[in-house]
Amino acid sequence: MKGVEILSRDGTARFGRLTVDDTVLLFPSATDATRLFPALNTRTGTNIPPIEDPEFVSRFLIRDGEQPIPLHMHAPADIQSGDTVISPNWHTLLSRPRDFCQFLDQLKATTPPDTCWYLPGAALPENAAILVHAGFDLFDYIATDLATTQGKFCLPDGQYPEKVMEEGLCSCQGCLSGDLLIHNRIALDQELARIGRRIRDGTFREFLDGRCRTKPEFVSIMRHIEKSDRMEQYCPVSRTGPFLATSGDSIHRVEVRRFADRLIERYIPPVADVAVLIPCSAKKPYSLSQSHRKFSQAIGRRAHELIMTSPLGLVPRDLELCYPAAAYDVPVTGYWDHEERYQITKTLVRYFTRHPYRRVIAHLDGDARIIAQDAADQAGFEIEFTCETDRLTDPASLQALSEALSGERKVKSHLVRGMISFQFGYDLRAPNLEVKGSYPEQVVKRGRNLYFSTDPAHGMMRPTFDGWSLIETGYRVYIDDFVPQGDILAPGVIDADPVIRPGDEVLVIGDKAMTTGRAVMSADEMIRSSRGVAVRVRKVKKLDGQ
């Protein structure tokens, strides 16, 4: 009996359950692999480096039909859902980050998503986080035992001479008894347990940001993975926890790039020919902050409000609930580095080139003011500044902002169309929809019919069945002819819109029923997996005749 069930994801890192005969093991974890997989004791020809010659691979890689199945980029995959694969020697590519990531992406594309990846002889407390981020699930103690024979004391921040064990850096059972072997194994187990906890909490990426700084090659691998299509597919569109942008790499995270791309490529702004650039606030959503209440009062709905911020670049007022706009937190120093300036300027140029305004007013100070001017110069539009001091909320500054908008027409409410275009890539043109309720928990109705509700925890619009009837295309999942009695499992999925990512709101359609819910998997994972929850169901509607 074998099986792999992915229980939680955080991008390419997974927390799951592996079943081998009568043994059930949670991963990521380390184990005595030769006991778990007895075939490893007698098998030959599996310890082939990833970059070995194809002819060599075809000659020596032998499969005996037992788990784990040897996997190599120069050998046919032929892997089934629930299999465990062994792909050794990837630690030899840690010093070649580009090859490490490209070769691994190629292999991952040929195997089902619900495959457990065993990496032998590589895991140490210092590299466990980056290896899990790369997509490996199962490890052994070979590397830690080798470090023991070399007299190395292993911790998550690196390796130390054995004598350091006497300095009280760790109080595990091994350190208390003076046993280096036990300490090194415990250190790996504890690090993998922390990683598993972080994956389940949805904070693994922030954890990795600190852990990978011990070696330059780890940072390089993280950056390459961040840019990969595989990472984009598996990265959720929203999280319930905060988005901590605490390092320079935060500006390159998938969530930041995705927000900017959807802003430029999907978002439909309100019918307005005047825009006002204003700074962000520490409090989220911005509208609840004291400074933004003053800004909005001075603007008086006579312009489209655009919040300029790092790392997101630009957040329209009607998108301020969308993740990560309402969830990010950054260290405030008053200084924006060159990379921040470049990325934010690029986003502003892209936006104003696609959406030109008759007037662009900037109520900004400091570096933000300089960035706005640079963007205006590059995009070829004039920009007006309304504050000559660094006190944007002073009565005189607010009065100048208000006077600059004198005579301008008010902009009509745009929450529904803006959010739907950003979230679903659909231009909703439904008349007579009314937004009701207390911000940010609002609902969209027409008469007594409920069409959408905002989810403040995720910053998403939740369509009802009536709401989905207004969104005619996209974000559909197709299932077999059954009436769901709970969540939708991957084996029941026939097809899915390729744009679906974990956390997206979806409409599930079958011959006997329709459901609304939130995707747990990406479309690719739904289709290619044989286990696991694909969609968390919120409502079920039986179709006529059922």
Side-chain angles (χ1 to χ4, degrees):
M1 178 181 177
K2 64 180 178 64
V4 177
E5 184 180 3
I6 310 301
L7 303 175
S8 298
R9 302 160 180 78
D10 195 337
T12 47
R14 294 113 54 92
F15 174 83
R17 182 185 295 115
L18 171 66
T19 302
V20 180
D21 297 327
D22 296 329
T23 301
V24 178
L25 188 68
L26 294 177
F27 59 79
S29 62
T31 187
D32 183 344
T34 55
R35 289 187 180 181
L36 188 64
F37 303 110
L40 292 174
N41 292 303
T42 56
R43 181 185 290 172
T44 61
T46 59
N47 197 32
I48 300 174
I51 56 174
E52 191 52 76
D53 181 80
E55 184 178 346
F56 182 93
V57 174
S58 64
R59 181 179 178 184
F60 291 102
L61 190 143
I62 300 173
R63 290 175 175 165
D64 54 14
E66 300 292 331
Q67 303 280 315
I69 300 173
L71 193 63
H72 197 281
M73 60 184 298
H74 295 313
D78 195 24
I79 305 300
Q80 305 299 318
S81 291
D83 282 340
T84 298
V85 299
I86 178 173
S87 188
N89 290 311
W90 283 90
H91 63 287
T92 63
L93 291 180
L94 287 174
S95 60
R96 298 169 56 180
R98 187 184 302 275
D99 290 340
F100 180 96
C101 297
Q102 287 182 351
F103 296 162
L104 191 56
D105 283 350
Q106 291 175 26
L107 266 182
K108 286 279 185 176
T110 66
T111 59
D114 51 348
T115 299
C116 180
W117 283 65
Y118 165 43
L119 178 62
L124 293 165
E126 67 186 71
N127 67 18
I130 197 66
L131 293 177
V132 172
H133 186 56
F136 293 105
D137 308 301
L138 190 62
F139 308 94
D140 53 37
Y141 298 107
I142 294 175
T144 56
D145 290 356
L146 177 60
T148 300
T149 64
Q150 296 170 337
K152 295 178 180 178
F153 179 71
C154 297
L155 290 175
D157 62 345
Q159 299 177 15
Y160 299 84
E162 182 176 2
K163 62 182 180 181
V164 173
M165 187 166 61
E166 302 172 2
E167 297 180 5
L169 297 181
C170 177
S171 57
C172 72
Q173 178 184 347
C175 289
L176 294 177
S177 62
D179 192 321
L180 182 61
L181 176 71
I182 293 178
H183 160 79
N184 284 341
R185 288 192 171 200
I186 289 176
L188 177 59
D189 287 338
Q190 289 180 336
E191 181 70 357
L192 290 169
R194 291 188 196 98
I195 291 168
R197 181 71 265 167
R198 289 288 196 154
I199 293 171
R200 282 173 283 172
D201 290 344
T203 60
F204 172 71
R205 179 57 182 75
E206 284 80 4
F207 177 79
L208 175 71
D209 224 352
R211 282 293 197 249
C212 74
R213 305 295 162 178
T214 58
K215 289 190 177 180
E217 54 264 35
F218 296 168
V219 177
S220 296
I221 290 172
M222 180 186 71
R223 290 174 178 172
H224 282 296
I225 293 173
E226 207 73 49
K227 296 176 182 178
S228 70
D229 292 338
R230 179 164 64 97
M231 182 64 178
E232 195 283 323
Q233 282 191 19
Y234 293 115
C235 185
V237 298
S238 65
R239 305 173 191 267
T240 54
F243 178 98
L244 300 180
T246 54
S247 78
D249 284 302
S250 300
I251 205 163
H252 300 294
R253 284 181 58 170
V254 169
E255 295 96 322
V256 173
R257 296 201 323 271
R258 180 186 284 154
F259 188 93
D261 289 343
R262 290 188 174 188
L263 173 69
I264 307 303
E265 298 166 5
R266 292 186 176 191
Y267 173 66
I268 301 172
V271 179
D273 56 2
V274 181
V276 174
L277 286 168
I278 53 180
C280 64
S281 65
K283 190 175 184 63
K284 313 291 188 309
Y286 306 120
S287 291
L288 301 182
S289 71
Q290 187 176 14
S291 62
H292 275 247
R293 288 174 178 172
K294 293 179 179 180
F295 294 149
S296 293
Q297 185 177 10
I299 294 169
R301 295 174 52 197
R302 292 171 292 176
H304 186 205
E305 297 181 35
L306 301 170
I307 296 95
M308 191 171 152
T309 182
S310 177
L312 299 181
L314 197 65
V315 180
R317 175 68 73 194
D318 41 315
L319 297 185
E320 67 175 358
L321 287 180
C322 293
Y323 183 89
Y328 76 96
D329 198 2
V330 296
V332 179
T333 63
Y335 169 76
W336 292 10
D337 63 29
H338 176 77
E339 188 70 12
E340 285 179 295
R341 292 179 182 225
Y342 173 79
Q343 294 293 343
I344 295 169
T345 301
K346 180 181 176 182
T347 299
L348 266 63
V349 170
R350 291 174 66 197
Y351 179 84
F352 285 112
T353 300
R354 186 176 178 89
H355 304 294
Y357 294 81
R358 177 173 56 85
R359 296 178 65 195
V360 177
I361 298 170
H363 194 69
L364 302 168
D365 61 1
D367 286 354
R369 183 186 178 105
I370 298 171
I371 294 170
Q373 184 63 66
D374 288 345
D377 293 342
Q378 293 182 35
F381 65 87
E382 295 292 327
I383 191 166
E384 307 170 39
F385 293 98
T386 56
C387 183
E388 300 299 329
T389 71
D390 59 354
R391 300 296 298 275
L392 298 176
T393 56
D394 274 356
S397 298
L398 295 172
Q399 181 64 27
L401 174 59
S402 180
E403 290 177 356
L405 293 166
S406 179
E408 298 292 352
R409 294 178 299 177
K410 289 191 175 183
V411 179
K412 291 184 179 180
S413 176
H414 184 69
L415 174 66
V416 180
R417 190 182 180 199
M419 287 278 285
I420 295 299
S421 65
F422 180 87
Q423 186 175 334
F424 298 105
Y426 186 82
D427 185 4
L428 183 65
R429 294 178 175 271
N432 303 322
L433 292 178
E434 295 181 288
V435 179
K436 298 183 177 181
S438 300
Y439 184 86
E441 298 185 39
Q442 296 174 303
V443 296
V444 180
K445 291 186 172 183
R446 181 191 291 153
R448 294 186 176 181
N449 289 342
L450 175 64
Y451 288 85
F452 305 97
S453 61
T454 58
D455 181 356
H458 296 275
M460 310 283 278
M461 279 280 193
R462 295 176 296 199
T464 64
F465 289 113
D466 286 338
W468 278 111
S469 70
L470 301 180
I471 304 172
E472 298 177 355
T473 60
Y475 290 87
R476 266 65 171 175
V477 176
Y478 300 92
I479 60 173
D480 271 326
D481 56 347
F482 63 92
V483 178
Q485 301 301 312
D487 293 330
I488 305 296
L489 303 181
V493 175
I494 298 173
D495 201 4
D497 188 339
V499 301
I500 293 172
R501 300 292 180 261
D504 271 324
E505 290 290 327
V506 296
L507 176 65
V508 181
I509 302 173
D511 292 336
K512 295 183 177 180
M514 298 172 61
T515 76
T516 64
R518 186 183 300 278
V520 176
M521 300 177 175
S522 67
D524 176 74
E525 193 174 8
M526 290 182 191
I527 296 169
R528 297 200 298 130
S529 295
S530 298
R531 294 169 178 80
V533 176
V535 179
R536 297 286 182 195
V537 171
R538 189 163 51 249
K539 295 285 185 180
V540 178
K541 178 182 179 182
K542 293 183 180 180
L543 299 181
D544 292 341
Q546 302 304 322

